[in-house]
Each structure stands twice: as structure tokens, then as C-alpha cells.
């Protein structure tokens, strides 16, 4: 089969012919149809400091995908050949303190497909049956293939927030931030301000229903106008850029909530006294998707027809054009980029 591989500890990927994976008794073999390309794949491609510290080549890249089940292991009872599925890409241990208390998204024994073991940019992938998520019949493989980043956005927007009627600021309109705009709208937010430095990304945020789309220098004025000077009830921080993190703390109202998904590239200073404590705010760190609360919410929002993620997808490539896919993400202008594998 074809597989896009990180073969050596240097920049780049290579498309190679490799054997179809063998499955264990508790695993299923999935024929990959669509696979989303993520910023993490770009880090691995570039072989930056994070990738050097985390990844051990050789392995197959890719963690966002959907496809149909080709075969199932002897112990698998709830997944059948032919099922249309996607999967949670974080493989957790299932027996630690966190897994046993409903917090598997922060299981310290997590192994991630396409990072710690062979991933989805290939004709087939082996997955534990427990990670498989069934797609509704009218959910396309393309939408199935972006459940992972869309799930990041659902987790950020919905966990512990109270969005009906709320005012919301989304800082950073990369693919995940743009999903979050649409989710906040569908969840009943009364006003969504989206900020980004990139006009193309603001246009995508507008397409997903943002009420105001602004450059960060104009965000304070937009929030002032939308909230009568109070500040927003909820900030979804989706950039990881220190200036945006400070702006999140500045523009949330007293007693409000900041949901932090974006990952700062290096340590940053926070004035906890003025930015967090005396504002009485709650800060929530987002890791992946909650298992499986987030997946259930995502499936139900897709059924509701109030939420359509399709406008977020801007580019589609065959696996052979992996260099083009990486380049268009690096340009910063794309929404979601998807490989059409089969
Ligand atoms: P992305 O890099 O495509 O999007 C970030 C956006 O922020 C860009 O559009 C950029 O122009 C914008 N930006 C830059 N400066 C800004 C500012 N001052 N104010 C507002 N916006 C600004 O990333 P993505 O793929 O959408 O992911 C978003 C973030 O989430 C990244 O930091 C990524 O590493 C992180 N992430 C976290 C998790 C998690 O589990 N916590 C999972 C996936 C991704
Ligand atoms: Zn665990």
C-alpha cells in the first residue's frame, strides 16, 4: 500500500510502498478514504525542535482520517466490516487514574497515531476498536476525516462554557478557530467576535457566521461595542500567540472564562494578579477531545443541521501531492486541507 512516511530525522516526507498493517485481536483495519492535514504534520515535516524532541522515525504520518472497515480482529464485537468510521487518534491506556475518572483526554500513557505509531496518510490504518467512531450515513468521508480538529473546537467551545446568549471572542481563525466560530453560533451565542491578522482567514470566519471579524488591533473596540464595555463572557483562544493570550485575559469580562487551545511556542510571562486572579476568571486548558463526550456532542451538532463545517475545507489533494499540501498550509491562507486517498 501507499504510505506517507517520516523515514529519517531530517526535514521532508517520502511516499513509499509498504506492507498493509497487521491487526491485533482488539484492532480493526480501516481503508482510509479522506485524511485531514494538520499543523502537527507540518511540524513533523519541517523536523522542528518539537518534532525532534517527540518523534522517533521511521513511521507513517497523519492522525485525522475517515474510511471504511476492511477487517476486524477476533475480539472485536461492536465494529463490522463495511462500517463507515473515523477514530479518536489518541490511544489511551484505559486503566490509569485519569482514564478511570472520565479524564482519558489527559491520560499520561497516551500514544498518538501519526506521531507515536503509524498514522493515517496511507491506504490502510490499524486502530484499536475502542477508538473507532461510527459516522452517520449522511456524514461524508470528507467531514469524517476532519472530526479530530473539529473535535478540538467542540471541546474548546462547549466544555464548561454556557454559550446560549453568551458573547464570545475567538482569537485566531486557523481551521480550529473557524470551526469554533460556527459551533459558538450553533450553540446560541448572541454575538461572536473573531480576530486574526490574516484577512483570508477572517473571510472564512465570516462564512462560518461570525458577527464581527477584526484585526487584533480592533478587537478591543469590537468587544466594547458588542458588550457595552463589559467584556465577553467567553474567550476561545485558538492561536497560541502570546499577544492574543494577553488580549484574551484583557477582553474577557470579570468572572468570565478563557478556554485555551492554542499552544505558545515557548514559555510566556503572564501577570497572574491582574490578568487572572483579580478578574476572577476561570481558565481551562484544552487537550484533544474529551472521550467521548466531545464526540457525542459533535455527532449531535452535525445531525442538528445548525452546524455545517463544509466552508472550512478549502483545499483537496491526492496523496502524491503531499508537498503542495504542506506548502499551502505553510502559506497561512488555507482553511482545512484534506487528502483524497481513495
Ligand atoms: P493555525 O496556526 O492555523 O491558526 C492560528 C491563527 O492565529 C492563524 O490564522 C494566525 O494568523 C492567527 N493569529 C496570529 N496572531 C494572532 C493574534 N495576535 N490574534 C489573533 N489571531 C492571531 O492553527 P490551527 O491549526 O487552527 O490550531 C490552532 C492552535 O491550536 C495552534 O496553536 C495549535 O498548535 C493548537 N492546537 C492545540 C491542540 C490541543 O489539543 N490543545 C490541538 C490542535 C491544535
Ligand atoms: Zn490512562
Amino acid at each position: 500500500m501507499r504510505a506517507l512516511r517520516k523515514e529519517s530525522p531530517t526535514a521532508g516526507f517520502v511516499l513509499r510502498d509498504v506492507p498493509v498493517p497487521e491487526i491485533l485481536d482488539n484492532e480493526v483495519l480501516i481503508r482510509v478514504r479522506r485524511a485531514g492535514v494538520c499543523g502537527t504534520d507540518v511540524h513533523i515535516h519541517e523536523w522542528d525542535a518539537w518534532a525532534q524532541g517527540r518523534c522517533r522515525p521511521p513511521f507513517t504520518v497523519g492522525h485525522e482520517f475517515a474510511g471504511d472497515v476492511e477487517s476486524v480482529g477476533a475480539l472485536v464485537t461492536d465494529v463490522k466490516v463495511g462500517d463507515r468510521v473515523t477514530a479518536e487518534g489518541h490511544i489511551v491506556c484505559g486503566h490509569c487514574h485519569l482514564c478511570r475518572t472520565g479524564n482519558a483526554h489527559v491520560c499520561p500513557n497516551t500514544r498518538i497515531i501519526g506521531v507515536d505509531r503509524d498514522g493515517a496518510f496511507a491506504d490502510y490504518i490499524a486502530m484499536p476498536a475502542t477508538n473507532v467512531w461510527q459516522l452517520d450515513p449522511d456524514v461524508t468521508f470528507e467531514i469524517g476525516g476532519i472530526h479530530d480538529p473539529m473535535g478540538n473546537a467542540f471541546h474548546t467551545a462547549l466544555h464548561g462554557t454556557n454559550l446560549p446568549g453568551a458573547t464570545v471572542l475567538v482569537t485566531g481563525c486557523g481551521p480550529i478557530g473557524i470551526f469554533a466560530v460556527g459551533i459558538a453560533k450553533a450553540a446560541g451565542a448572541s454575538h461572536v467576535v473573531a480576530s486574526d491578522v490574516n484577512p483570508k482567514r477572517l473571510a472564512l470566519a465570516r462564512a462560518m457566521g461570525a458577527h464581527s471579524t477584526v484585526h487584533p488591533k480592533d478587537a478591543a473596540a469590537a468587544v466594547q461595542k458588542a458588550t457595552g464595555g463589559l467584556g465577553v463572557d467567553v474567550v476561545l483562544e485558538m492561536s497560541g500567540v502570546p499577544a492574543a493570550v494577553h488580549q484574551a485575559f484583557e477582553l474577557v469580562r470579570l468572572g468570565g472564562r478563557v478556554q485555551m487551545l492554542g499552544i505558545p511556542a515557548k514559555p510566556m510571562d503572564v501577570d497572574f494578579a491582574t490578568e487572572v486572579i483579580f478578574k476572577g476568571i476561570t481558565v481551562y486548558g484544552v487537550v484533544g477531545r474529551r472521550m467521548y463526550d466531545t464526540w457525542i456532542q459533535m455527532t449531535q451538532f452535525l445531525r442538528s443541521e445548525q452546524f455545517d463545517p463544509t466552508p472550512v475545507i478549502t483545499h483537496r489533494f491526492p496523496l502524491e501531492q503531499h508537498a503542495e499540501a504542506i506548502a499551502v498550509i505553510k502559506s497561512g491562507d488555507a482553511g482545512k486541507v484534506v487528502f483524497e486517498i481513495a
Side-chain angles (χ1 to χ4, degrees):
M1 69 168 191
R2 297 169 300 164
L4 193 61
R5 304 273 296 170
K6 188 75 183 173
E7 284 289 346
S8 57
T10 52
F13 291 148
V14 279
L15 188 60
R16 289 202 38 198
D17 259 328
V18 301
V20 172
E22 307 265 342
I23 55 169
L24 304 173
D25 284 350
N26 65 340
E27 291 184 338
V28 306
L29 184 69
I30 300 167
R31 179 172 179 86
V32 180
R33 301 285 179 185
R34 296 290 182 276
V37 192
C38 168
T40 302
D41 304 317
V42 177
H43 290 296
I44 297 171
H45 181 272
E46 304 297 292
W47 201 239
D48 65 9
W50 170 83
Q52 290 177 32
R54 176 63 193 265
C55 304
R56 295 288 164 264
F59 61 97
T60 300
V61 205
H63 55 276
E64 309 172 356
F65 76 97
D68 36 20
V69 176
E70 180 87 6
S71 61
V72 305
L75 297 176
V76 175
T77 55
D78 54 346
V79 181
K80 302 184 305 299
V81 172
D83 283 356
R84 300 170 65 260
V85 300
T86 178
E88 167 58 62
H90 289 196
I91 298 170
V92 299
C93 76
H95 53 69
C96 72
H97 180 105
L98 285 312
C99 282
R100 290 184 152 190
T101 54
N103 295 293
H105 64 295
V106 285
C107 168
N109 307 314
T110 300
R111 299 188 72 233
I112 304 179
I113 60 170
V115 175
D116 302 312
R117 63 182 251 165
D118 282 340
F121 294 162
D123 287 312
Y124 294 94
I125 183 171
M127 283 304 293
T130 49
N131 282 60
V132 168
W133 190 256
Q134 301 280 346
L135 296 174
D136 278 355
D138 55 351
V139 173
T140 61
F141 284 128
E142 182 168 89
I143 298 300
I146 57 170
H147 269 41
D148 168 306
M150 194 161 66
N152 294 142
F154 272 100
H155 183 180
T156 312
L158 298 184
H159 186 76
T161 58
N162 185 12
L163 291 186
T167 52
V168 177
L169 169 64
V170 178
T171 53
C173 298
I176 307 179
I178 315 168
F179 287 129
V181 166
I183 296 160
K185 272 290 288 274
S190 60
H191 194 103
V192 179
V193 178
S195 73
D196 201 295
V197 293
N198 180 337
K200 290 198 179 152
R201 289 194 148 174
L202 289 178
L204 290 169
R206 216 150 28 239
M208 288 302 284
H211 299 86
S212 2
T213 49
V214 292
H215 188 280
K217 71 175 165 40
D218 301 320
V223 166
Q224 162 94 13
K225 184 156 172 259
T227 66
L230 185 69
V232 290
D233 299 311
V234 178
V235 181
L236 309 177
E237 204 308 291
M238 316 300 268
S239 76
V241 174
V245 174
H246 291 302
Q247 196 162 49
F249 294 143
E250 179 198 336
L251 298 182
V252 71
R253 69 163 163 78
L254 294 166
R257 198 168 165 106
V258 177
Q259 307 280 93
M260 301 193 62
L261 172 99
I263 304 169
K266 51 185 197 322
M268 59 171 282
D269 286 327
V270 175
D271 179 352
F272 277 100
T274 59
E275 294 187 288
V276 177
I277 299 166
F278 292 124
K279 287 200 73 168
I281 63 171
T282 303
V283 177
Y284 175 68
V286 179
V287 179
R289 298 143 299 276
R290 296 190 74 97
M291 297 171 212
Y292 277 80
D293 321 40
T294 303
W295 291 84
I296 291 168
Q297 287 177 315
M298 177 157 53
T299 296
Q300 293 181 170
F301 267 70
L302 288 171
R303 280 175 195 159
S304 78
E305 293 168 9
Q306 282 159 275
F307 173 70
D308 177 12
T310 313
V312 180
I313 302 168
T314 56
H315 294 76
R316 298 162 178 87
F317 295 100
L319 204 45
E320 285 70 21
Q321 287 182 27
H322 53 90
E324 286 87 338
I326 297 293
V328 81
I329 296 180
K330 283 173 71 179
S331 79
D333 289 340
K336 196 69 218 169
V337 176
V338 173
F339 282 133
E340 298 186 316
I341 294 182

